[in-house]
Amino acid sequence: MIGSEGIGVFGDVRRAGRGAWLFDRIVATGSLVLRTVGGNRAGEIAAHRFLDSPRVSAVEIIETLGRCTGERCRGRRIIAVQDTTEINFSGRDRARCGLGPAGDGKTPGFFMHAAVAVDAEDEAVVGLLDGAIWTRPVGQRVGARRRRGVEQAAWSRRNRTGG
C-alpha cells in the first residue's frame, strides 16, 4: 500500500488519482509495459497521457515514494541496497527522444541508480528510498574501469543538487 500521497500530487487531484491508478496497475500486472498495465487501449492511452504530462516528473514520483518508504521503515532494522541499471533500446526505434549512448557508447538508452530499503529481519523489500535517472551526452563512453566512479560521482552530484 502506498501512502496517502500515492506516487505524487502533480498539482492536481486528477493527476494524483491517475498516478495512484498507474501504480496499482503496475503492482497488479507485474509489468512496466504500458499496453499490459493499461489493460486495454483506453488504459494504455491514459497511462501515456499521464506520463507525458509536463506536470508529472520522475523527481516527484521518486521523492514521494522515498517519503512513503521512509515512513514504513520506522521501527525496523533496514538495509539500503543500491545498484545502477542500464536501460537500452537495442534494436528498437532509434528515433526515441531524450536518450544518450548506453554502455557500449552506441545503443540509445539511459541509466537508473536506485536505492531500496530491505527489512533486515525478514529480507522483505520495503520500498524505494531514492533514485536518479540520467543519460550520457552523445559521444561520451566511459571505460569499464572508470565507469563506476564517474557515474557514481554524477549520481551523487545530482542527488545533492536535486537535479
Side-chain angles (χ1 to χ4, degrees):
M1 174 74 189
I2 57 177
S4 61
E5 293 179 83
I7 62 168
V9 178
F10 313 109
D12 184 90
V13 295
R14 293 168 296 171
R15 277 190 294 275
R18 181 59 68 190
W21 169 83
L22 182 62
F23 183 85
D24 289 343
R25 291 293 302 156
I26 289 169
V27 172
T29 63
S31 178
L32 293 173
V33 177
L34 294 185
R35 181 169 292 160
T36 303
V37 169
N40 56 35
R41 182 70 176 143
E44 178 185 2
I45 291 170
H48 275 286
R49 285 184 179 151
F50 170 76
L51 293 170
D52 286 342
S53 170
R55 298 286 221 112
V56 173
S57 72
V59 170
E60 184 170 353
I61 294 170
I62 291 167
E63 287 175 354
T64 302
L65 291 175
R67 272 194 310 276
C68 294
T69 298
E71 292 167 9
R72 288 191 304 275
C73 288
R74 285 196 189 121
R76 295 179 172 187
R77 215 168 122 232
I78 296 295
I79 300 168
V81 180
Q82 62 179 344
D83 191 27
T84 301
T85 301
E86 170 190 340
I87 312 296
N88 71 56
F89 293 87
S90 176
R92 295 184 183 94
D93 182 10
R94 292 193 177 265
R96 293 176 189 256
C97 297
L99 302 175
D104 65 2
K106 297 178 234 164
T107 306
F110 62 93
F111 297 87
M112 169 72 183
H113 186 86
V116 296
V118 176
D119 188 296
E121 186 175 316
D122 63 7
E123 299 180 0
V125 175
V126 178
L128 181 72
L129 290 169
D130 196 11
I133 299 169
W134 77 93
T135 58
R136 287 187 183 141
V138 175
Q140 178 187 6
R141 182 167 186 262
V142 180
R145 295 184 75 215
R146 291 184 41 229
R147 182 177 303 136
R148 170 178 266 165
V150 170
E151 291 178 352
Q152 283 181 340
W155 176 78
S156 178
R157 208 173 26 255
R158 283 191 174 95
N159 277 328
R160 282 194 306 272
T161 62

